[in-house]
Amino acid sequence: MTEYNKPLPEITLLNEPFWEGTKQHKLLLQKCDDCGAFRFTPKEVCPDCTSVSATWTEVSGNGTIYSYSTVHRGPSAGFQEDAPYSVVMVQLAEGPRIISHVADCSPDDVAIGMAVSVVFEDINPDITLYKFRPS
């Protein structure tokens, strides 16, 4: 692992299962126990049916780029080192949309509808981040 000089996620009681999953290189999302809808970001109440019952469930990590933006000037020194890079909104096969970066792909090659798969980057013993790469 190299030195990481970008902000790291804040782990809370609500999102802790998600980040524990990434440490195991699994993408876990809440799945409503009543209506079956997947959701991201973690929520205490299902936005579809208002149920408070959900189970953390592994999803495929496969999806397509729904939208993207190319960053040419990073907001801080750590991000500037990566510029230009693309921030993407991925429509997962299971339904929800999730935001991240595209790895192993030039920003010039990123396109709406591009098939992508989740990959994981171990930052330190406590944090593993998720990204997507073309599949």
Side-chain angles (χ1 to χ4, degrees), residues 65-70 86-89 102 107-113:
I65 294 179
Y66 178 83
S67 183
Y68 71 95
S69 179
T70 300
S86 294
V87 177
V88 294
M89 178 178 286
V102 177
D108 293 335
D109 295 330
V110 174
I112 292 174

Side-chain angles (χ1 to χ4, degrees), residues 50-120:
T50 68
S51 171
V52 295
S53 181
T55 302
W56 287 93
T57 305
E58 185 175 4
V59 295
S60 67
N62 297 320
T64 57
I65 294 179
Y66 178 83
S67 183
Y68 71 95
S69 179
T70 300
V71 177
H72 294 276
R73 212 160 100 179
S76 65
F79 288 103
Q80 188 59 36
E81 295 168 3
D82 296 340
Y85 60 90
S86 294
V87 177
V88 294
M89 178 178 286
V90 173
Q91 177 92 45
L92 293 173
E94 292 81 5
R97 295 180 186 145
I98 187 169
I99 296 176
S100 190
H101 293 264
V102 177
D104 305 325
C105 184
S106 165
D108 293 335
D109 295 330
V110 174
I112 292 174
M114 173 186 278
V116 292
S117 300
V118 72
V119 293
F120 298 94

Side-chain angles (χ1 to χ4, degrees), residues 4 9 11 19 25 30-31 35 46 50-51 53 64 73 86 88-89 95 101 111 120 128-129 135:
Y4 194 79
I11 309 298
W19 295 110
H25 291 199
Q30 289 175 309
K31 183 177 182 181
C35 74
C46 177
T50 68
S51 171
S53 181
T64 57
R73 212 160 100 179
S86 294
V88 294
M89 178 178 286
H101 293 264
F120 298 94
T128 297
L129 299 178
S135 50

Side-chain angles (χ1 to χ4, degrees), residues 1-9 78-79 81-82 101 121-124 127 129 131:
M1 288 181 236
T2 61
E3 183 180 343
Y4 194 79
N5 58 355
K6 298 176 186 117
L8 293 172
F79 288 103
E81 295 168 3
D82 296 340
H101 293 264
E121 180 181 0
D122 298 315
I123 302 302
N124 62 44
I127 299 289
L129 299 178
K131 295 181 180 183

